[in-house]
Amino acid sequence: MTNHHQPARGKPRVALVTCTELADLDPDDRLVVGPLAAHGVAAEPVVWDDSTVDWSAYDLAVLRSPWDYMLRRDQFVAWAQSVPALANPADVVRWNTDKRYLSELSVAGVPTVPTSWVLPGEPWQPPADSGEYVLKPAISAGSQDTGRYDLADPEHRELAAAHVRRLSEAGRVTMVQPYLSAVDTAGETALLFLAGPDGLAFSHAIRKGPMLTGPDHGVDGLYRPEEITARTATEDQLAVAAKTLAAVPGGSERLLYARVDLIPGPDGSPVLVELELTEPSLFLAHAAGAPERLATAIRTHLSRP
């Protein structure tokens, strides 16, 4: 049985932060444990809201799969602030767990999916046009509480309004975005960056297939199943990612990892869908050497003052 109360001695100790439902880690995250051991780092899964854990016993806590915090975001942010050494840092967690950061990035010149926000209690009517829209909460992960609505369909219009009411009554902010049809063909591209000696460095990219087929009917488990394949990043995508990371408050050089999710916009140019800095899947299994690169990034992070 793991003893979370022993102080760090000898090998650096790293907590790979997860949730009760994934107490042994997501399978993809387990791939880094062996490479970390080869670097002389003892890593173990630790559940973020386990009150018996002494976080000071770890040289670093790495956020990996704490995917049950969405309805307890304030508790999660407060927990992050209490951890002595956390990657990514607690102020980044606070900023990045509310997707209203997209507005800040847009103001900074990052091409983003046009987004409007419906605050709890605000009236909302579906847009007058007949396009497709995506509705989701500003605090979410794994496509939970997310739906795609064709507003030319009267039933979809009613379901969209009900979706917003449901989130509003729960005190949640709703995001309203046009559905970018290119995701049905080109898919979504996720660019993964890991810490190196000179800051974040590009590691690999993957393609996600389309996931949203219609209105929100709930998700079984923590996330929707995803169709993932390897992808080669384009120069345009890398340029948007660089612009995005340059706009991160406090600078991106202190981050352990980042994931930049892009979809082609109406003109084919990449636009930002999400910037994942808190607990992103890193898709280590889809790129040769990625588990070793993450282990090296964690070892580099441990050596920072």
Side-chain angles (χ1 to χ4, degrees):
M1 181 176 177
T2 300
N3 186 342
H4 299 303
H5 304 279
Q6 290 298 317
R9 295 190 184 94
K11 289 184 178 181
R13 292 184 69 198
V14 168
L16 299 174
V17 180
T18 186
C19 61
T20 300
E21 193 166 335
L22 293 168
D24 291 324
L25 296 175
D26 180 75
D28 196 66
D29 289 325
R30 290 184 207 133
L31 298 176
V32 77
V33 175
L36 279 172
H39 278 273
V41 176
E44 60 195 56
V46 188
V47 174
W48 74 271
D49 58 351
D50 181 348
S51 61
T52 70
V53 176
D54 176 10
W55 294 99
S56 67
Y58 295 95
D59 298 281
L60 182 66
V62 177
L63 288 163
R64 291 311 319 125
S65 48
W67 295 332
D68 61 355
Y69 75 83
M70 285 70 197
L71 299 180
R72 297 181 287 157
R73 187 252 184 173
D74 289 347
Q75 178 187 345
F76 183 67
V77 169
W79 165 81
Q81 291 172 327
S82 75
V83 178
L86 184 69
N88 285 327
D91 64 300
V92 172
V93 170
R94 175 182 290 278
W95 179 75
N96 189 240
T97 48
D98 187 327
K99 292 183 177 61
R100 283 178 283 186
Y101 68 76
L102 287 170
S103 294
E104 295 181 39
L105 294 177
S106 180
V107 169
V110 176
T112 62
V113 179
T115 307
S116 59
W117 313 88
V118 185
L119 301 180
E122 284 187 343
W124 182 79
Q125 291 294 326
D129 65 52
S130 59
E132 287 191 287
Y133 282 80
V134 173
L135 303 180
K136 58 185 174 182
I139 298 171
S140 68
S143 296
Q144 295 185 49
D145 301 302
T146 300
R148 171 182 172 182
Y149 299 89
D150 180 357
L151 299 185
D153 182 332
E155 182 182 3
H156 274 223
R157 294 183 72 85
E158 291 181 9
L159 289 171
H163 189 159
V164 175
R165 282 197 305 273
R166 185 167 68 251
L167 293 177
S168 182
E169 289 167 0
R172 305 175 78 184
V173 176
T174 303
M175 304 170 62
V176 182
Q177 299 175 321
Y179 184 78
L180 299 181
S181 60
V183 75
D184 291 332
T185 52
E188 180 177 323
T189 300
L191 280 67
L192 287 305
F193 295 81
L194 300 173
D198 300 314
L200 287 179
F202 175 68
S203 171
H204 59 285
I206 58 95
R207 176 192 183 273
K208 289 186 188 182
M211 292 188 294
L212 300 179
T213 58
D216 174 43
H217 295 299
V219 174
D220 293 329
L222 295 173
Y223 49 84
R224 295 178 194 266
E226 296 177 320
E227 177 194 320
I228 307 297
T229 53
R231 169 163 273 178
T232 300
T234 68
E235 291 300 319
D236 285 349
Q237 290 170 338
L238 290 167
V240 171
K243 193 167 192 176
T244 302
L245 294 173
V248 173
S252 64
E253 64 278 355
R254 62 201 180 111
L255 302 178
L256 172 63
Y257 51 66
R259 197 182 89 198
V260 182
D261 294 345
L262 305 172
I263 293 177
D267 66 353
S269 299
V271 298
L272 180 72
V273 183
E274 289 188 24
L275 170 62
E276 298 270 12
L277 304 180
T278 302
E279 28 62 30
S281 293
L282 297 176
F283 306 113
L284 302 177
H286 294 273
E292 290 75 17
R293 287 193 292 277
L294 178 57
T296 300
I298 292 172
R299 196 69 186 88
T300 298
H301 214 72
L302 282 165
S303 67
R304 291 175 175 175

